[in-house]
Amino acid sequence: MDGKRVALYCLFAFYTRYAACDDYLRMGVNTNAAEATQFLREYDREASGMCYRVTMSQWKFVTNITEHNRRRMLEELALSSKFEKLSWRKAAVYDASRLSDPQGRKQLTRIVQASRASLSDEKFSEIQQIITEMKEVYNAAKICPFGQKPYDPHVPRLPAQVTEAQETKAYQSYQLNNQPFQHYQPHQDNSDYPNYCDMQLDPEISRILAHSRIEKELLYVWKSFRDKTGPKLKNKFMRYVQLANEAAVNTGYRDAGDQMRAAYEDQSFRASVEEIYNQVAPLYKQLFTYVRRKLVLRYGEASVRSDGPIPAHLLGNMWAQNWKSIMDLVMPFPQSPNLDATSEMLRQGLTPLRMFQMAEEFYVSMGLKPVPPEFWRGSMLARPAQRSVQCTASAWDFCNRIDYRIKQCTEVTMQDLISTHHEMAHIQYYLQYADQPQLFRDGANPAFHEAVANAATLSVYNIPHLQRMGLYQNKSHDPYEVSMNFLMSMALEKVAYLPFAFMVDQWRWSVFEDGVQNMNARWWQMKLRFQGVTPPIGRTEDDFDPGSKYHVISDQEYIKYFLATILEFQIFEQMCAVSGYSGHLHECDVYRSRDAGRLLSEIMQPGASMSASDIIRSMTRGKTNRISPESLVKYFRPLELWLRVQNRDEQVIGWNSNFQDVALFAPQRAWATNNHFSVLLLLVSFITVHSL
């Protein structure tokens, strides 16, 4: 009897200790606080050194793409994976709840919570290899040129030598003919005219989707890129889901989605982000309705139904996430210009170096830190002439509190001026939290880095700031019309992005939770529900369209971009408020405001050592501790009022979905019998009718 009592007592003690703890599986049994503190001290030193080695190898590769540099980078990444696994094993033996130092508890938790090192060595290597292979498949995707290229209207046409039937053939491969008359001719299997099927996502495919207004060409490149990615990635992704879930369960989470959400330290995180989405949805639907009407005028009701969703290939972007490229079709006041200082920048002789000096001066004027000399010596600010490089703009922290760099193939354009300020904001973030331990050299949550960088650029890309810098002067156009054009351009970039940024991880979490059945159908269900977008042609489970998005197959969470877009306007409004500005939010310029710089510094300096809720509470002077979309809605309020007037005669604000829309992606078994009840339920969930 005494033995049973002891056993029951021990069992009771175990369960009462962990009853309220969702992640008890990751807690070790070592309660020696001194040992844990010593481990964290050693980890900080070793992790910083490992981070420097890996970052330097990656830098050398992307700024000089050679096979030697690639091999060196992969060697360092393999060593980093071993270090991660070893560090996880050491950290997992400690009971973080027994540490008296809250910072120590948080550091131990950060080592354990995001890692997949709980997998066996074989499976840990396997998931790393799968992710690498998926990236390689994605980056290797190339398509052939579209066969129905029109004649250049600026060059005399050669007398027709092909039949009308040949000219209208949608998927025939064409090439530029080397004759005095510029035109496209059918490809012949001839060594003198090789067939170059080497069009990649960037820049060729993206450029076509952005600038072509030929619907067949848009459909061709939209479908072809997905054909080259999704089917090849599907099986690998299914195995990745299985391994990611296993790692999450071993670490103490319900599934891999639960593990991803843990970084936000919010027990009601899913409900919180859904509430944010619901608050911005009315603005999105006003924008959507206006854009759809313009697309109907351009492509006709045979392509775009006047009350329905929009086909995904017509919105100027591979994923319909950014609509800025169709600004020419939807500009509120075509007789007034869109905000673009490129011509003035060229007239003044700006160079890439001068653009970065302007960006540094912007932050220094607010009382923030100048970049160290190592930045100017090490950065790649323009495309080098003699070597192959990867040109995506990015800011780099080499983890040694000295070396910070930017990689950007800068051109003298308005867009690159904004990008320059954006990347310099990331550098400023690195400088501000440089004194934190390695584990805390990051944003308060995954959304903060992008949010801060974007908030700063909101002050750069507006009319008052460009006028102040002598880059823009409006002498002949109505200021209201120019302002509406500017806000429309911003909405096509920011507001149109929100539903997509929201739904990507909603889909991913559903796959982690409910399994890999009908993954493609669920993807399009969510795109239809949240974006009002349908595939232009029928899709099946063999297509795996989520694989066309790099972040999905490269194991990068995406909800942070949704929150960052919301948070950037919240930060920007607070910067404007402390600087004393009280006008329209889209016209605020915080250049030379020391108070705004002080606020930014208070956000950045703690890094990840403070919770996001504490930083937001401090930023808003106690008004709230949550990310709120009110500032975004306020920023676009003048445009929303204008959109409501433009949409006053529309019967549907938003979109109606019918069986044909759903049948484009619904599983075939839904139509196998006369009982369409399940499909009807699916359809009802999509209908978003808002009568005026």
Side-chain angles (χ1 to χ4, degrees):
M1 183 66 70
D2 290 341
K4 289 183 179 178
R5 256 194 218 102
V6 171
L8 287 171
Y9 175 79
C10 292
L11 192 63
F12 175 78
F14 178 84
Y15 278 110
T16 52
R17 177 181 175 189
Y18 296 119
C21 186
D22 292 333
D23 53 356
Y24 67 85
L25 286 176
R26 70 184 180 189
M27 299 177 69
V29 295
N30 189 333
T31 60
N32 190 317
E35 285 185 14
T37 302
Q38 178 63 23
F39 161 72
L40 289 174
R41 192 177 298 115
E42 293 173 357
Y43 175 87
D44 185 67
R45 182 180 66 254
E46 293 171 4
S48 297
M50 179 59 64
C51 177
Y52 175 80
R53 290 179 56 175
V54 170
T55 306
M56 182 60 75
S57 69
Q58 291 174 321
W59 174 267
K60 288 180 178 179
F61 174 69
V62 298
T63 58
N64 186 14
I65 300 176
T66 65
E67 184 58 30
H68 170 74
N69 285 342
R70 178 179 175 275
R71 286 198 303 269
R72 291 295 302 272
M73 178 184 69
L74 293 177
E75 290 170 2
E76 294 295 341
L77 287 171
L79 190 61
S80 176
S81 293
K82 292 179 181 178
F83 174 77
E84 176 190 347
K85 193 165 182 63
L86 181 61
S87 299
W88 183 90
R89 286 175 175 169
K90 289 181 178 180
V93 304
Y94 295 105
D95 183 352
S97 67
R98 296 300 184 92
L99 291 181
S100 59
D101 177 21
Q103 297 298 304
R105 289 199 300 270
K106 191 165 187 175
Q107 288 184 73
L108 280 175
T109 300
R110 286 179 69 88
I111 294 174
V112 173
Q113 74 176 6
S115 176
R116 298 202 172 106
S118 60
L119 292 170
S120 66
D121 291 344
E122 295 78 11
K123 289 183 177 179
F124 184 73
S125 298
E126 183 184 0
I127 194 170
Q128 300 284 350
Q129 182 63 27
I130 287 173
I131 293 169
T132 299
E133 290 174 359
M134 288 195 292
K135 290 179 181 178
E136 290 175 349
V137 169
Y138 188 96
N139 291 329
K142 297 178 181 180
I143 69 172
C144 300
F146 176 60
Q148 198 177 358
K149 203 72 175 173
Y151 285 89
D152 187 337
H154 302 292
V155 179
R157 292 182 60 169
L158 192 70
Q161 297 179 357
V162 294
T163 67
E164 183 177 350
Q166 287 175 314
E167 285 189 323
T168 57
K169 195 172 182 180
Y171 300 110
Q172 190 174 9
S173 179
Y174 278 61
Q175 67 180 48
L176 184 62
N177 184 35
N178 187 21
Q179 293 185 20
F181 296 87
Q182 181 181 342
H183 69 291
Y184 287 80
Q185 290 188 333
H187 168 69
Q188 305 291 333
D189 291 328
N190 187 313
S191 59
D192 295 332
Y193 298 99
N195 186 19
Y196 295 108
C197 292
D198 61 353
M199 291 173 57
Q200 294 182 300
L201 179 62
D202 285 320
E204 294 94 350
I205 298 174
S206 295
R207 187 178 296 138
I208 290 171
L209 287 166
H211 300 296
S212 175
R213 299 295 178 254
I214 303 170
E215 189 175 357
K216 287 185 178 180
E217 181 177 30
L218 295 173
L219 174 59
Y220 169 77
V221 296
W222 186 94
K223 178 181 183 298
S224 298
F225 181 73
R226 282 163 171 76
D227 290 344
K228 294 292 185 180
T229 52
K232 297 178 181 179
L233 295 167
K234 181 182 177 182
N235 289 337
K236 295 180 186 295
F237 186 81
M238 292 168 68
R239 178 57 176 162
Y240 153 81
V241 169
Q242 185 180 8
L243 292 172
N245 271 342
E246 182 179 339
V249 171
N250 291 347
T251 311
Y253 298 99
R254 291 185 293 274
D255 54 58
D258 189 32
Q259 185 175 22
M260 286 182 172
R261 295 187 294 272
Y264 293 92
E265 301 176 322
D266 183 354
Q267 295 296 321
S268 59
F269 180 70
R270 298 183 80 166
S272 298
V273 294
E274 188 166 353
E275 180 183 354
I276 292 172
Y277 168 78
N278 289 335
Q279 290 177 262
V280 299
L283 172 61
Y284 173 76
K285 288 172 183 175
Q286 290 289 342
L287 177 67
F288 176 96
T289 303
Y290 172 79
V291 167
R292 179 182 57 204
R293 185 170 69 254
K294 294 295 185 179
L295 291 176
V296 170
L297 292 175
R298 175 62 182 83
Y299 296 104
E301 288 209 33
S303 299
V304 186
R305 208 167 68 248
S306 61
D307 67 342
I310 298 174
H313 64 311
L314 301 180
L315 289 164
N317 176 266
M318 178 60 74
W319 312 279
Q321 70 178 54
N322 185 325
W323 304 351
K324 199 168 184 178
S325 295
I326 62 169
M327 180 65 175
D328 60 306
L329 301 179
V330 303
M331 186 179 290
F333 298 99
Q335 67 275 17
S336 294
N338 194 17
L339 183 61
D340 190 349
T342 299
S343 59
E344 183 62 24
M345 293 167 62
L346 292 169
R347 192 190 69 80
Q348 294 186 17
L350 264 61
T351 63
L353 177 60
R354 177 62 187 135
M355 290 162 65
F356 276 92
Q357 291 171 340
M358 289 173 64
E360 181 191 33
E361 197 273 330
F362 174 81
Y363 295 106
V364 171
S365 78
M366 298 165 65
L368 299 175
K369 297 180 178 181
V371 296
E374 288 78 7
F375 172 85
W376 303 108
R377 286 199 294 266
S379 292
M380 188 191 86
L381 306 183
R383 183 192 294 270
Q386 301 299 323
R387 63 182 190 266
S388 176
V389 299
Q390 201 258 20
C391 270
T392 305
S394 53
W396 296 61
D397 179 358
F398 284 77
C399 312
N400 60 1
R401 297 188 170 97
I402 298 173
D403 199 349
Y404 308 96
R405 305 181 192 180
I406 285 176
K407 172 183 64 67
Q408 179 172 293
C409 298
T410 314
E411 297 180 357
V412 182
T413 65
M414 178 78 240
Q415 190 59 45
D416 276 10
L417 182 65
I418 298 167
S419 176
T420 297
H421 284 77
H422 176 96
E423 300 305 332
M424 287 292 272
H426 285 301
I427 298 294
Q428 192 61 228
Y429 216 142
Y430 300 151
L431 292 168
Q432 292 291 327
Y433 61 50
D435 293 333
Q436 296 288 344
Q438 175 66 26
L439 283 164
F440 290 154
R441 288 180 226 160
D442 203 351
N445 71 30
F448 263 73
H449 242 292
E450 281 298 306
V452 167
N454 286 338
T457 58
L458 287 177
S459 180
V460 176
Y461 185 47
N462 66 37
I463 295 172
H465 180 75
L466 294 176
Q467 288 176 333
R468 201 170 181 179
M469 301 303 294
L471 295 176
Y472 176 80
Q473 293 296 330
N474 178 23
K475 298 179 180 179
S476 58
H477 299 283
D478 186 338
Y480 174 78
E481 293 183 356
V482 174
S483 182
M484 284 301 104
N485 285 346
F486 166 72
L487 282 174
M488 176 60 74
S489 176
M490 290 293 288
L492 295 174
E493 178 181 352
K494 303 289 186 180
V495 178
Y497 179 56
L498 291 172
F500 178 81
F502 175 74
M503 61 77 50
V504 170
D505 274 353
Q506 300 293 325
W507 171 84
R508 182 170 10 208
W509 299 338
S510 78
V511 171
F512 286 137
E513 284 178 331
D514 304 325
V516 296
Q517 298 78 21
N518 299 327
M519 288 191 297
N520 211 47
R522 278 187 275 168
W523 173 262
W524 286 108
Q525 287 169 12
M526 290 189 180
K527 285 184 76 68
L528 179 55
R529 178 183 175 188
F530 297 114
Q531 278 189 283
V533 166
T534 57
I537 54 175
R539 312 303 286 161
T540 69
E541 288 305 309
D542 293 332
D543 293 313
F544 189 54
D545 292 320
S548 69
K549 185 62 181 174
Y550 183 76
H551 294 75
V552 171
I553 56 90
S554 63
D555 190 38
Q556 299 181 48
E557 66 152 310
Y558 210 76
I559 197 67
K560 67 181 180 182
Y561 296 110
F562 172 76
L563 293 173
T565 306
I566 301 294
L567 182 58
E568 70 177 86
F569 290 92
Q570 192 173 5
I571 294 173
F572 182 58
E573 183 179 21
Q574 295 302 316
M575 291 166 62
C576 294
V578 299
S579 69
Y581 179 80
S582 59
H584 289 300
L585 192 55
H586 68 276
E587 295 179 341
C588 169
D589 179 16
V590 297
Y591 178 55
R592 294 182 178 173
S593 170
R594 294 297 177 115
D595 292 325
R598 194 175 302 112
L599 179 74
L600 266 184
S601 181
E602 291 172 1
I603 294 171
M604 295 187 289
Q605 277 185 355
S609 67
M610 282 178 63
S611 68
S613 59
D614 288 341
I615 289 180
I616 294 173
R617 183 185 294 109
S618 173
M619 175 184 78
T620 61
R621 303 302 184 256
K623 293 180 181 178
T624 183
N625 66 345
R626 305 185 72 82
I627 297 176
S628 168
E630 292 179 5
S631 300
L632 181 146
V633 173
K634 181 178 179 181
Y635 184 96
F636 289 105
R637 186 163 294 145
L639 178 67
E640 183 179 16
L641 295 174
W642 184 87
L643 287 171
R644 288 182 181 276
V645 173
Q646 303 304 308
N647 295 333
R648 63 186 179 276
D649 295 328
E650 295 287 333
Q651 294 184 350
V652 176
I653 303 298
W655 55 94
N656 282 338
S657 302
N658 58 30
F659 285 112
Q660 285 73 30
D661 297 326
V662 178
L664 286 168
F665 58 83
Q668 291 299 314
R669 65 177 180 273
W671 300 91
T673 68
N674 292 327
N675 182 7
H676 300 315
F677 180 68
S678 60
V679 181
L680 182 60
L681 288 178
L682 179 65
L683 179 63
V684 169
S685 71
F686 294 149
I687 296 179
T688 54
V689 183
H690 297 267
S691 298
L692 289 174

